[in-house]
Every structure is written in structure tokens, then in C-alpha cells.
Amino acid sequence: MYNTVRSIAAVALTISLPSANAFWRLECDGSVGTARIDPLMDFDGLSDHIHTIKGGSAFSATSTAEDLLKSKCQSCGVGQDKSAYWTPPMYFMADDGTFTIVPEKPPFKAYYELNTGMTSDGKEQKIEAFPNGFQMISGTNLRRNTTLSGPDPSDFTGPFTDEDNDSREQRAIGFNCMNYGHNGSPAKNEPTLYRHSMPEKSWIDSNCPDGIRLELQFPSCWNGEMDGGEDHKDHVAFPNWINGGDCPAGFDRRFPALMYETIVATDQFIGKSGKFVLGNGDPTGYGYHGDFIAAWDEGVLQQAVEQCTDMGGEMRSCGVFEFPENTASCTLENLPSEIKDEKVDGPMQGLPGGCEVQSGPERAVKGKGATGSSSGGKDRNQSKGSSEGSDGGDPASYASPPKVAAVDNKKDGGVFAQVENDTPAADAPAADAPVAEAPAAEYQAPSPPSPSPPSITAPTETTPAEQGGKFVSTEIYTDGRVVHHNKIVVQEITVTTNVAAKAKRTPEAQAAHGKRGHRHHHHPMQHGVGGRRLR
């Protein structure tokens, strides 16, 4: 008899995309400063932890978009953009308790990805520019554990239809191991947002000779409000593919999918005894976060959304932008007198402000260990209630991640068979956080119970027009400053095979097969090394 099997396949293609799926990469060759300033969470005061700031030189503890637009210079490469982008830096904590900042490898990159999707009631969305003064935070400063199930890292990338926004936020953080290949050894490349916790230093030393790339995706679904309450998050939500896909109910408007990338030179500390810690006292990586205030010259960002369609992401290909010189030398115009001479680079005893290292797994305590000079201002939305303890909105307690056994990553076949690539190094256990007893190099869904379904041969890849596939997400990988762009397409295919009636899939097998159907697989890289590879 003949049995027709219908499957959904996630196909990664390197093709030219329509303007609705374009992007550009804002490069920042320097930082305007590294200081304990945070106008969102510690308005008009000093933050309890340190940040590295990119963007307009008028950034301060009371910054508004109006202030930023008056900046005398900016550290990023588009002249009409005076927005503020800030994150905690990374430090090396030696065994003797001294801290040294881990230098960045410029440029910092802020991706503006024009990924469209559907509203909850099935209407196609149009991307809008961030209005000036719009502000948001992604990530949770006080988080020191995870509520996500399954192994970390994992190449399962969505859609996360049944997850709440807090779970999607945890997937919006990445610690990407950089290995460009050395002494004849092949490059080893990892997908974006592949690992959601910071690996242990010994693993980084052994596997990441070119550093670690810190990745942070911001929500792109909007409810129309300019700010999101005490945690600056309630007005935005993640789509179901994190950087693309469809928006949840109540968040029907769409922004560019903003993502930060910072490469840090962990390779400068290879062989030194100690561990890596984020500037907010987080050695686990779960508390990595970033802030954003939009401040663009009037109308320019909307023009860019509509006209900047270069699929390589090169900002200089956009005729809308102007390009200032000497951005790397731009610095903050004013620092509070209390921290003007504060030591932030090290080596030094303790983190700036006395911020205490808190490993979890319980939620960290805001301001713990901070010195008297860490005054801590009010939240910008203090009038709505106390900001103490509100930094993040994650649950007050966590269940430890489940323990998973090692699996054979060469099992399975058919449409969802693994396409072999340069094999990534063994998974990195998170530093100072609960880890699996035997983490797997790559997660595979359990094999279906007997009798097994028939093997299905993967179809030849064609263009989305030929396949009739639905675009759901984009993927970028970099080779130095050259960026290559790929498209993730969900495709329904019909394959007819000659099978015996006894091979009919059981309900349990069908369920297992359906789970595998939403996995991405790594296809061989076609351009360069060290960046994001095809999924």
C-alpha cells in the first residue's frame, strides 16, 4: 500500500529576501563610558552595579531622549542616532579576589532586524520605528537560575508557542563560543542564542580561543505604551520565535527586532586561575541584561525601516544614514562627582561600588554589598510603586534544571536527520549554577517507540517561492565585519513512500515525531568562520 506522510520541515536557505525581512547592523567602535549609571532603574542616582554605555555622549542618570539628541558626539556609526545602549561588562575574578575588566573586541553591534509576523487575530504586521523616548529592558538583573526545561545548550529554537514571556526572555540571552580555527584545526561555530548560561572558565579556556560573544535579543511586539512600569518590560513581548514569528494577544504592533552583540576577550585570561563574572555580580550568566532608550533624529528611523533593504546588513549601504568620524573617541560629557575617579578597569579588590558576587540559585538581592557611595536612585517610574526587588519580574524562586542523560547525536533519520557540520565542542556547564550530570553535545528528541516509522528521504531544497513556505525567522552570521543573512522557512511537504501497513505510526511515535519536527539543524557554513552559522 502507499502511505502519504505530511511533515513540517524547518529549512535554512541563503537567498535574497524582500525588504520586509531586511536588517542593518549598527556598529559602535567605542563606548562613551563605563560607569554606575542607569537612568531607567536608578534614575537620578548611582546604580549598584556597573554598565558599559554606547550611544550619545549626553547619557546621564537622568537621560531623556531630548537630552540624548543634544549629545555632542556618539560612539555608534550613524550620525542621526543618539540612542543609548547599555549592558553590564564582564570581569575576571582571580582566586585572590581581585577583579579585572575583560576588554571588548570592537565593534559592539546593535542589529535592527525587520522581521515581520502576524497579530494574535491573524493580521499581518507592519514594522514601526521606535518613537523617541521609548525605553525598554531585556533580561533580568537579579536572575541566577532558570525555569527552562531541557538541556542547555540546545539547537531547538522554536516556535515556543506554549511558553510565557518570562521563559522566552530567558531564551533571548546567548553566550557564543568563538573559535575561528587555529594551527590547521577547523573553526567551530555555534548558532545564535544557543547557550543561555555562562560556561565555566576552564571550558572557555579549552574551547573558545577567540573569546565569548554576549548576545541579547530584545522584544519586538508592542502594546502601544511608551514604557513598561517598574521593570520597563510590561509594554513589550517576544514573538514566538524570539527574534521573529507571531506576537501574543495584546501586543499587536511591531518594532524592529533589536539585538546586542558584544565580543569579550576572555582569551586574554587563558590559563589564569579564577572565574568570569558579569559586572552585576552574576557568575551564572542568567542575569545578563541590557537597556535601551530611543533617540533618533526625527523621521530618520522610519525612513530606514522603509528604505534600508541591504540583505548583508551593511549600514553604509543605506542612503538614509550619515556617518560621523572619530566615534571611538567619544566620551560622556558629564559624570557624577561621586564616581568621576572610581576605578572600573582593575585590577582591584571587589567590583565597582562594592557589588557582591551572588551565585544563586536563589534570586539575587539588589544592592547587596554595595558601598555607601552607591546611593541608588529611584526607578524612572517610581511613582507607580517601589522599585526595590522589582528588577526583572522573574519568579521569586526556581526549580533546578532537570538532569539529562547523554544521548547519541547521530540517531534519527528521515526529513529531520542531522546534517553533519564541523562538530561543536562538548557542551559547557554553567559557572556556579546547577548543571546536568551528563550534558549532551546536541539534544535529540527520544527515538520513537517500536515499531519505527519508515525512513523518509529529505527533499531537495528549493527557493521559498517554489516551496510555498512560510517565513518565520532570520539568521545572521559574521565573518569579521562581513555579515551573511539566512532565512528560516517553515515548509509543509508531502512525501509518498511504499510501506507496509504494520509500519503505521503509533500515537506515541507520532507525538515524538511531531516534537522533532520543530527542530533546527546545522547546515555546513558557506561563508567565513567565527560568526553565526546556518541553522
Side-chain angles (χ1 to χ4, degrees):
M1 61 173 289
Y2 287 90
N3 182 32
T4 299
V5 182
R6 305 189 70 181
S7 299
I8 302 296
V11 184
L13 305 174
T14 303
I15 56 174
S16 296
L17 306 181
S19 60
N21 302 321
F23 78 108
W24 69 86
R25 183 180 78 255
L26 178 72
E27 295 186 352
C28 306
D29 286 330
S31 302
V32 291
T34 301
R36 288 189 293 117
I37 303 176
D38 186 342
L40 296 192
M41 294 308 302
D42 295 287
F43 183 77
D44 199 19
L46 296 181
S47 175
D48 65 328
H49 64 274
I50 195 84
H51 298 100
T52 298
I53 305 122
K54 279 82 175 177
S57 59
F59 182 85
S60 72
T62 58
S63 288
T64 64
E66 184 178 359
D67 298 328
L68 291 168
L69 286 168
K70 296 176 182 177
S71 295
K72 296 177 181 178
C73 62
Q74 65 278 327
S75 65
C76 300
V78 172
Q80 302 103 314
D81 178 26
K82 305 295 196 309
S83 302
Y85 312 83
W86 68 102
T87 61
M90 182 182 283
Y91 284 85
F92 169 67
M93 178 182 176
D95 288 343
D96 63 1
T98 59
F99 289 79
T100 304
I101 201 166
V102 181
E104 294 183 6
K105 296 184 177 184
F108 164 90
K109 304 179 188 73
Y111 288 83
Y112 282 72
E113 299 178 274
L114 308 183
N115 299 335
T116 57
M118 307 296 285
T119 64
S120 58
D121 57 356
K123 298 177 182 177
E124 186 172 356
Q125 294 173 308
K126 180 180 179 180
I127 296 176
E128 305 175 46
F130 298 112
N132 279 342
F134 176 84
Q135 50 198 31
M136 63 177 168
I137 294 175
S138 185
T140 296
N141 172 34
L142 303 180
R143 196 189 304 274
R144 295 295 184 271
N145 207 326
T146 183
T147 59
L148 299 178
S149 60
D152 181 33
S154 169
D155 67 349
F156 181 78
T157 54
F160 303 102
T161 306
D162 297 327
E163 290 192 348
D164 61 19
N165 199 61
D166 184 72
S167 297
R168 293 179 185 179
E169 181 186 71
Q170 294 175 63
R171 298 188 186 278
I173 293 172
F175 294 85
N176 194 294
C177 178
M178 307 299 285
N179 185 342
Y180 304 142
H182 297 270
N183 301 319
S185 63
K188 297 178 180 179
N189 308 284
E190 297 180 345
T192 306
L193 305 179
Y194 174 61
R195 176 182 291 105
H196 309 305
S197 58
M198 191 189 305
E200 292 183 350
K201 184 179 183 297
S202 59
W203 188 91
I204 295 175
D205 285 359
S206 299
N207 295 282
C208 312
D210 298 296
I212 289 287
R213 187 173 66 210
L214 309 180
E215 303 165 334
L216 183 66
Q217 184 76 52
F218 281 77
S220 55
C221 303
W222 185 38
N223 68 3
E225 298 293 331
M226 287 294 286
D227 196 11
E230 296 172 28
D231 61 5
H232 307 278
K233 298 179 183 180
D234 295 346
H235 58 326
V236 288
F238 287 93
N240 59 358
W241 286 81
I242 310 303
N243 79 325
D246 299 335
C247 288
F251 297 86
D252 292 335
R253 299 173 70 176
R254 195 64 170 254
F255 284 140
L258 182 68
M259 193 183 78
Y260 295 174
E261 281 190 351
T262 309
I263 299 178
V264 291
T266 55
D267 47 298
Q268 293 188 15
F269 299 87
I270 290 176
K272 297 182 179 180
S273 184
K275 62 183 177 182
F276 294 117
V277 179
L278 296 175
N280 60 338
D282 176 22
T284 70
Y286 294 122
Y288 189 56
H289 61 282
D291 303 54
F292 171 68
I293 298 177
W296 284 76
D297 286 357
E298 189 66 33
V300 171
L301 183 55
Q302 187 61 46
Q303 279 185 277
V305 167
E306 295 170 359
Q307 299 177 31
C308 296
T309 58
D310 177 61
M311 296 317 304
E314 174 55 56
M315 64 183 182
R316 292 185 178 272
S317 297
C318 178
V320 173
F321 296 151
E322 299 171 357
F323 307 104
E325 297 180 353
N326 304 317
T327 55
S329 62
C330 182
T331 58
L332 290 174
E333 298 170 23
N334 295 290
L335 273 175
S337 58
E338 304 97 313
I339 58 172
K340 186 166 291 186
D341 298 319
E342 185 171 58
K343 194 173 184 179
V344 297
D345 292 337
M348 56 198 175
Q349 287 292 327
L351 290 168
C355 183
E356 184 174 312
V357 175
Q358 300 180 68
S359 301
E362 65 278 358
R363 179 185 174 92
V365 177
K366 182 176 173 63
K368 187 175 182 181
T371 61
S373 63
S374 178
S375 57
K378 297 180 179 180
D379 178 86
R380 188 185 287 272
N381 292 323
Q382 184 73 31
S383 60
K384 297 180 180 180
S386 172
S387 66
E388 182 62 33
S390 69
D391 190 1
D394 57 310
S397 60
Y398 300 90
S400 297
K403 297 179 179 180
V404 295
V407 295
D408 181 357
N409 68 352
K410 294 185 179 180
K411 289 181 180 179
D412 270 347
V415 171
F416 307 108
Q418 176 73 36
V419 180
E420 294 300 324
N421 192 8
D422 44 291
T423 304
D427 292 354
D432 294 309
V435 297
E437 290 183 336
E442 292 207 23
Y443 176 68
Q444 288 281 354
S447 298
S450 298
S452 298
S455 177
I456 306 172
T457 303
T460 302
E461 292 185 0
T462 58
T463 68
E466 293 170 325
Q467 292 178 325
K470 176 187 177 184
F471 166 74
V472 292
S473 184
T474 57
E475 179 63 7
I476 314 160
Y477 62 91
T478 57
D479 176 6
R481 292 198 177 191
V482 178
V483 177
H484 309 277
H485 202 267
N486 304 294
K487 182 179 183 180
I488 304 301
V489 175
V490 166
Q491 171 62 41
E492 184 178 80
I493 59 174
T494 302
V495 181
T496 302
T497 56
N498 190 356
V499 298
K502 66 180 181 180
K504 183 177 180 181
R505 187 178 286 117
T506 65
E508 293 81 5
Q510 182 65 44
H513 180 78
K515 291 180 180 179
R516 289 200 304 278
H518 287 295
R519 298 182 60 236
H520 285 187
H521 293 294
H522 310 316
H523 294 248
M525 285 193 64
Q526 298 178 12
H527 306 279
V529 295
R532 304 175 180 178
R533 67 181 177 184
L534 302 180
R535 287 181 176 177

